[in-house]
DNA sequence: CGATGTATATTCACTAGGCGGTATACATAG
DNA sequence: CTATGTATACCGCCTAGTGAATATACATCG
C-alpha cells in the first residue's frame, strides 16, 4: 500500500488544481473534481474531509513550485540587481500570454473567499506571498540595500498588481511596465544607500 | 407612480451591491438579493434579465463614485505632484482599515469570473480601470512628464497591487508602501524629463 | 500453506437543501 | 382594456456531504 494511496490522493489534487485554477473555486463542484480525477465522490471524501480542505491542498501544492520558478528566473538573468528583478516580470509576461493563464491562483482564491478571512486557503496564500517577500528582502539585504524590507514590499505590490491588472485587461504588456517600475525602484534604492 | 419603479430597481441594485461586495458574486444567490431588497425574486427578474445583468448593474453603479473619490483625494492634497498621488494611497489605506473593506469590487469580480473572459461585468471593470488610468495620464501629461502613459500604468499597477495584497494579508500598511513607491516613481519621472 | 482478522481504500445510492429561472395570476393606473 | 409591476408557487438541476456495503492488502495464527 505504499504507492496506490498517494497516487489516488495526488490524482485528486491534480484534477482539483487544474479545475480550480481554470474555473475558480466556487464554480467547480466536488463532483466535477471527482469525475476529472476518475474517482467517485465518496472516494474523494475519503481522502479529504471537505471541499475546503481540498482547496487548501490545491494551494499548498502550488507553493514551492511557484517560489522555485521565481528564483530560477532571477538566478538565470544577466545584469545588475535591477535587471535580475526585472527578468522575473519579463518571464511572467511570457507565461501570461499563454491562453490558459488565469492570473495568480493564490490571489484569485483570496478574492473569491474574501468573506471568509480565516479560511485555511487564505492563510496558505498569505504565507506563500510572505515567503516570496522574505526571499526578496534577503536578496536586497545581501546586495547592501538599506531598507531592503520596504523595497521587497514594493516589489510584491508590483508583482501582485500585475497579476490583477493583466487578468482584468488580458494585456500582458502591463507586466513589462511593472518590471520597468520595479527596476527603477531598485536602482533608486541602490543609489540612495 | 413615475418614481417607485426606479426606486424598486435601485433598491435591488443597492442590496446586490452590498451583498456582492461583502460576500462575492457566486456566494450570493438571487434569492438572497431579492430578500435583502424586500422584493420577491419574480420582481427582481422583472427588472433584470439574469443574474449576470444584475452583476453588471452592481459594478456600473460603482464606476463613477469610485473615480470621483480618487479625484477628490488627489485634488484635496497639498504638496507637489508626487505628494498628491501618494495622498490617494494614504486615503485608501484609511478606507482599507474599516472592517467592512473587502478590496476592490472590480478586481474581485474579475478574479471570480476569470473563466468567463467576455462577461459584461469584466468589461465594465476593465473600462473603469482604463478611465482611472486615462485620468492619471492626463494629470501627468499636464505636469509636463514625458512618458505620462507609462507612468500612469505603473500607478495603476501599484494601486491594484495594493488592493490585492492588502486583501490577502489584511494589512493596510502595504498601501502606504505602495504610496511611497508611487511617489518615488513620479519624482524620478518628473526629474528625468 | 491456508484461514482469518483488520485497516485501508473504493463504490453505489442517497439526502436535504439551494440554485437560477419561470408559469401563472393578480393588482393597480392611465 | 392594456401596460406595468408585484406576488405565489413551482421546476429541474446541482450542491456538499453521507450510509452502508464491499474490495483489496497484509499480518498473524493454526
Amino acid at each position: 500500500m505504499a504507492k496506490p494511496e498517494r497516487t489516488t490522493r495526488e490524482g485528486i489534487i491534480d484534477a482539483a488544481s487544474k479545475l480550480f485554477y481554470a474555473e475558480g473555486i466556487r464554480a467547480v463542484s466536488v463532483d466535477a473534481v471527482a469525475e476529472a480525477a476518475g474517482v467517485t465522490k465518496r472516494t474523494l471524501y475519503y481522502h479529504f474531509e471537505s471541499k475546503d480542505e481540498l482547496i487548501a491542498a490545491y494551494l499548498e501544492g502550488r507553493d514551492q513550485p511557484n517560489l522555485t520558478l521565481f528564483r530560477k528566473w532571477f538566478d538565470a538573468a544577466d545584469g545588475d540587481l535591477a535587471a535580475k528583478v526585472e527578468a522575473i516580470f519579463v518571464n511572467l509576461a511570457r507565461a501570461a500570454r499563454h491562453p490558459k493563464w488565469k492570473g495568480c491562483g493564490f490571489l484569485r482564491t483570496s478574492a473569491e473567499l474574501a468573506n471568509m478571512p480565516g479560511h485555511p486557503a487564505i492563510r496558505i496564500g498569505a504565507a506563500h506571498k510572505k515567503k516570496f517577500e522574505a526571499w526578496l528582502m534577503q536578496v536586497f539585504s545581501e546586495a547592501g540595500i538599506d531598507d531592503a524590507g520596504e523595497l521587497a514590499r514594493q516589489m510584491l505590490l508590483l508583482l501582485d498588481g500585475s497579476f490583477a491588472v493583466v487578468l482584468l485587461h488580458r494585456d500582458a504588456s502591463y507586466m513589462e511596465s511593472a518590471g520597468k517600475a520595479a527596476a527603477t525602484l531598485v536602482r533608486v534604492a541602490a543609489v540612495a544607500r
Side-chain angles (χ1 to χ4, degrees), chain A residues 113-120 122-123:
Chain A
L113 305 185
N115 60 330
M116 310 168 80
H119 195 290
I122 292 183
R123 274 201 294 260

Side-chain angles (χ1 to χ4, degrees), chain A residues 74-90:
Chain A
F74 178 90
D75 291 337
D78 293 323
D80 63 0
L81 183 62
K84 287 168 89 71
V85 169
E86 188 171 355
I88 294 177
F89 290 88
V90 172

Side-chain angles (χ1 to χ4, degrees), chain A residues 81 137 139-152 185-186 188-193:
Chain A
L81 183 62
M137 184 174 83
V139 166
F140 292 150
S141 192
E142 283 169 2
I145 287 176
D146 242 15
D147 204 344
E150 177 67 15
L151 187 60
L185 290 170
V186 170
V188 168
V191 166
R193 89 189 176 75

Side-chain angles (χ1 to χ4, degrees), chain A residues 53-144:
Chain A
E53 195 179 305
L54 184 59
I55 300 164
Y58 146 57
L59 289 184
E60 223 153 313
R62 297 209 153 217
D63 179 40
Q64 275 307 114
N66 251 8
L67 293 173
T68 302
L69 194 58
F70 286 141
R71 281 197 205 106
K72 201 189 80 182
W73 285 338
F74 178 90
D75 291 337
D78 293 323
D80 63 0
L81 183 62
K84 287 168 89 71
V85 169
E86 188 171 355
I88 294 177
F89 290 88
V90 172
N91 278 283
L92 210 51
R94 190 162 33 77
R97 287 187 171 98
H98 191 285
K100 280 196 188 167
W101 186 88
K102 295 258 172 59
C104 169
F106 299 96
L107 292 183
R108 274 177 57 214
T109 302
S110 95
E112 202 168 342
L113 305 185
N115 60 330
M116 310 168 80
H119 195 290
I122 292 183
R123 274 201 294 260
I124 292 166
H128 171 76
K129 297 290 182 183
K130 280 291 179 194
K131 282 183 211 166
F132 180 76
E133 188 185 321
W135 166 67
L136 268 180
M137 184 174 83
Q138 198 194 328
V139 166
F140 292 150
S141 192
E142 283 169 2

